[in-house]
Amino acid sequence: MKLAIDETRCKGCNLCTKVCPYKIFREGKRLNRKGVAIPELDRPERCANCRLQKLYGRQLCGVCQLTCPDQAIHWIEEEPYEPHKVAIEY
Ligand code: SF4
Ligand code: SF4
């Protein structure tokens, strides 16, 4: 599973940066087109949900998602590895 912030919903309030016990979120530095500094993710694979949600079949933390006032945080299924043909040119 992969942690994702919906940039169209996020308003940059940074509540998520305060509540995460693993400090996954950091205050964003760059403003997007809407003038919002979206939080940056610091090694999101450390998140309990990202690592273990699928294995345990349930949400294991989710404090950030519960706290976000704009429902901007969610988890997405990662695509399985898809092999590609590799063309080697000499
Ligand atoms: S709590 Fe939600 S709206 Fe606020 S910065 Fe985090 S993702 Fe964005
Ligand atoms: S689910 Fe918990 S550990 Fe994962 S990013 Fe959100 S607050 Fe942090």
Side-chain angles (χ1 to χ4, degrees):
M1 304 291 278
K2 193 171 158 188
L3 181 62
I5 299 176
D6 183 343
E7 296 200 9
T8 61
R9 285 175 171 262
C10 176
K11 65 181 174 210
C13 67
N14 281 303
L15 287 176
C16 52
T17 66
K18 294 182 174 64
V19 296
C20 175
Y22 287 89
K23 306 286 179 215
I24 302 285
F25 302 89
R26 283 194 302 221
E27 286 194 26
K29 291 184 184 72
R30 281 184 293 112
L31 298 179
N32 69 6
R33 268 190 289 168
K34 287 164 77 180
V36 174
I38 309 291
E40 293 167 4
L41 300 178
D42 177 17
R43 290 167 292 149
E45 64 276 8
R46 293 182 296 128
C47 162
N49 273 344
C50 291
R51 287 181 290 125
L52 304 169
Q53 186 172 198
K54 207 169 171 196
L55 185 69
Y56 282 81
R58 63 183 173 87
Q59 195 155 304
L60 293 164
C61 173
V63 176
C64 56
Q65 192 181 42
L66 283 172
T67 306
C68 176
D70 296 277
Q71 290 88 48
I73 297 171
H74 58 282
W75 283 266
I76 48 179
E77 198 77 46
E78 286 181 276
E79 293 292 320
Y81 174 71
E82 287 177 18
H84 295 282
K85 268 191 179 167
V86 178
I88 299 171
E89 292 179 11
Y90 296 97

